[in-house]
Amino acid sequence: MSQHKRIFIIGHSGAGKGVLAQALAEKLGWQFLDADFSLAPSIGRSMTDLATPDNNGLEEHVLSIVKAIGK
């Protein structure tokens, strides 16, 4: 059986999660996936919209993307 390893980096917008994740993926030789790039089109919003403080209900969408990635 193949064992998949994943690391999820979670935090506030603009905190540097993507920069950290890309560097970590390079160091480990892993694939990097930014959930925001899956999230924005799935809810019909742009990446710029996601970076605004008014993100009511966004957590539910983020959780669904994280669950899908985690499978």
Side-chain angles (χ1 to χ4, degrees), residues 1-54:
M1 178 188 334
S2 175
Q3 185 178 16
H4 298 282
K5 295 180 181 177
R6 293 177 180 86
I7 297 173
F8 292 90
I9 301 173
I10 301 168
H12 292 284
S13 179
K17 300 176 301 291
V19 174
L20 174 64
Q22 283 181 321
L24 185 59
E26 273 185 40
K27 181 89 172 164
L28 295 173
W30 291 8
Q31 178 184 4
F32 166 70
L33 175 66
D34 189 330
D36 287 349
F37 289 102
S38 297
L39 176 64
S42 74
I43 62 172
R45 294 173 68 182
S46 71
M47 291 296 294
T48 306
D49 290 342
L50 295 180
T52 63
D54 181 27

